[in-house]
């Protein structure tokens, strides 16, 4: 709702059908956001690729994560990323270098980061490119093979 005050044409597309889907859908109805929020449900691999190609900013509003496949995929697609500053997200995203970290559980900070990304989209795209380079440098098949080779040779 805060983002829409600044950018009324913004659409939030939510992929997935996790355990909080009903709660989030109910909240969108209560906040009268049904025309600005699209619930896409489960997406297969091809649909996810289309999703990543279509969106402008990837947001993962999470309070706990292990190694987030969604963040890794979004990084590989050179998307600007906004996610919570929990420990495992901080292992992937360097704030202001490969994405933006908002204060965990702070919806105002999250909204401010989204508005900032929209207002500074050229900078956001540069962060997305840096995120992709980070994936290539640290998580590509070549990087993994080099790490295994180093480990084995020790």
């Amino acid at each position: 709702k805060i983002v829409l005050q600044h950018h009324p044409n913004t659409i939030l597309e939510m992929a997935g059908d996790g355990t909080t889907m009903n709660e989030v859908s109910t909240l969108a109805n209560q906040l009268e956001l049904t025309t600005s929020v699209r619930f896409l449900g489960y997406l297969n691999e091809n649909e996810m690729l289309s999703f990543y190609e279509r969106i402008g900013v990837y947001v993962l509003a999470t309070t706990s994560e292990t190694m987030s496949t969604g963040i890794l995929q979004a990084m590989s697609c050179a998307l600007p990323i906004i996610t919570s500053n929990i420990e495992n997200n901080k292992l992937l995203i360097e704030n202001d270098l490969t994405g933006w970290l908002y204060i965990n559980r702070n919806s105002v900070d999250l909204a401010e980061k989204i508005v900032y990304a929209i207002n500074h989209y050229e900078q956001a795209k540069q962060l997305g490119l840096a995120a992709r380079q980070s994936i290539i440098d640290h998580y590509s098949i070549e990087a993994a093979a080099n790490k295994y080779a180093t480990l084995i040779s020790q």
Side-chain angles (χ1 to χ4, degrees):
K1 200 155 185 135
I2 295 169
V3 172
L4 291 173
Q5 292 170 1
H6 299 271
H7 297 282
N9 296 324
T10 301
I11 300 293
L12 171 65
E13 291 191 333
M14 297 188 67
D17 58 359
T19 57
T20 61
M21 176 73 138
N22 289 336
E23 180 183 342
V24 173
S25 178
T26 299
L27 181 60
N29 286 330
Q30 289 171 349
L31 295 174
E32 299 176 356
L33 299 175
T34 55
T35 59
S36 300
V37 179
R38 295 182 188 142
F39 294 95
L40 306 177
Y42 172 80
L43 302 177
N44 66 35
E45 286 182 35
N46 290 333
E47 292 168 325
M48 280 304 298
L49 184 55
S50 175
F51 171 73
Y52 288 129
E53 290 171 346
R54 180 176 66 246
I55 64 176
V57 176
Y58 180 80
V59 177
L60 181 62
T62 183
T63 58
S64 67
E65 254 335 293
T66 53
M67 177 70 75
S68 172
T69 302
I71 290 176
L72 291 169
Q73 290 172 340
M75 290 174 77
S76 70
C77 292
L79 281 168
I81 297 167
I82 300 170
T83 192
S84 57
N85 66 350
I86 59 174
E87 287 304 313
N88 287 330
N89 290 347
K90 291 192 295 187
L91 295 174
L92 298 174
I93 300 297
E94 293 181 72
N95 194 48
D96 288 328
L97 295 174
T98 58
W100 287 291
L101 298 168
Y102 72 90
I103 300 167
N104 189 30
R105 298 183 185 270
N106 186 325
S107 60
V108 173
D109 190 40
L110 171 57
E112 288 173 356
K113 296 284 193 292
I114 294 170
V115 169
Y116 184 88
I118 294 169
N119 289 342
H120 301 89
Y121 196 65
E122 287 305 314
Q123 179 187 0
K125 289 193 310 189
Q126 292 305 309
L127 267 62
L129 292 172
R132 177 164 172 71
Q133 190 59 52
S134 178
I135 286 290
I136 292 167
D137 293 345
H138 302 291
Y139 297 98
S140 66
I141 292 171
E142 293 82 7
N146 289 335
K147 288 177 185 175
Y148 282 122
T150 301
L151 180 65
I152 291 169
S153 67
Q154 292 181 355

